[in-house]
Amino acid sequence: MSQPYLLYVDSQNLSPYAMSVFVTLTEKGLPFELRTVDLESGANRQPDYAALTGMQRVPLLLAGDFRLAESSAISEYLEDCHPAPAVYPAAAQLRAQARQVQAWLRSDLMPLREQRTTEVVFRRPAIAPLDAAGQQAAAKLVAVASELLAHGGANLFGDWCIADADLALMLQRLLRAGDPLPQRLADYAAQQWQRPSLQAWRRLGDAAGAGVSP
């Protein structure tokens, strides 16, 4: 590629979806520049940014004149363009299952996502106990993750894949809040969190939280 990708992310580095694309780019060793968008001030709705993507969301990837939003679509595009190192399983069925996990994490568990926002992971504010809906969502997460990891391996589908990063972040919402989590899942989330690409994103979040440019 002739020039680095441009990746637009939220200025507080709290978006799990921006993190997912950041991790994909980092794992693949692709050159990219970060641009931040202040979602709290509504900068994503301003004409300049809206002109880049009608969806007015982050993350957003620019490759020359090509623009792509939605984190799963971006990671899959990057995988197609730069197959190695892979961030999805090579086998078709495992690849489909990894995408299934990503889609599920993005579309379900809303009470848990609302009551255990990523601020719990990256900022650790004071939090209230989960209500009944939150507990139900947490129980579903635990049940699904336990089944996915019943094989006892370190990763979801053999070799590490981007779905591991996404699932680990969801589990971190419970782990960091001190909510009940089976030891197997706590160990998995903690181990995944030590991956250098995830630690790189965490450091960006730490810098943003401290009001310091990374």
Side-chain angles (χ1 to χ4, degrees):
M1 51 184 294
S2 59
Q3 57 185 329
Y5 288 107
L6 295 181
L7 177 63
Y8 287 80
V9 303
D10 59 301
S11 58
Q12 293 300 309
N13 298 101
L14 292 172
S15 167
Y17 315 117
M19 186 201 82
S20 188
V21 175
F22 175 92
V23 168
T24 292
L25 286 162
T26 303
E27 291 284 340
K28 288 183 172 295
L30 296 171
F32 67 99
E33 296 178 8
L34 276 181
R35 303 279 177 88
T36 58
V37 181
D38 188 348
L39 300 182
E40 291 186 1
S41 71
N44 54 307
R45 297 188 295 274
Q46 295 303 308
D48 287 348
Y49 189 73
L52 293 176
T53 170
M55 297 176 186
Q56 303 177 22
R57 291 157 63 106
V58 295
L60 171 68
L61 184 79
L62 269 64
D65 294 332
F66 179 70
R67 303 161 187 177
L68 189 64
E70 300 301 325
S71 57
S72 293
I74 296 172
S75 289
E76 291 173 21
Y77 167 76
L78 293 171
E79 184 83 338
D80 289 340
C81 293
H82 311 279
V87 297
Y88 285 98
Q93 291 185 350
L94 294 181
R95 190 183 187 94
Q97 288 180 319
R99 289 171 169 168
Q100 175 182 249
V101 169
Q102 288 188 292
W104 173 64
L105 291 170
R106 286 157 172 72
S107 62
D108 201 353
L109 310 174
M110 183 58 72
L112 178 60
R113 287 187 278 154
E114 290 177 343
Q115 296 174 46
R116 295 292 182 265
T117 69
T118 51
E119 289 192 14
V120 173
V121 180
F122 297 114
R123 301 286 190 272
R124 301 199 72 175
I127 52 175
L130 291 170
D131 66 14
Q135 291 176 28
Q136 185 177 38
K140 184 175 184 179
L141 171 62
V142 167
V144 173
S146 295
E147 181 178 355
L148 287 168
L149 293 165
H151 52 67
N155 305 307
L156 285 168
F157 305 111
D159 293 334
W160 179 89
C161 72
I162 190 60
D164 283 298
D166 292 344
L167 179 60
L169 178 57
M170 187 63 79
L171 291 169
Q172 284 284 347
R173 296 172 190 254
L174 296 177
L175 184 62
R176 300 278 287 183
D179 294 310
L181 195 63
Q183 191 61 49
R184 169 74 178 101
L185 299 186
D187 291 344
Y188 165 82
Q191 177 214 5
Q192 293 291 335
W193 212 239
Q194 295 308 308
R195 195 168 182 90
S197 57
L198 274 75
Q199 286 293 299
W201 178 261
R202 183 190 60 78
R203 288 191 293 273
L204 289 175
D206 288 347
V212 178
S213 297

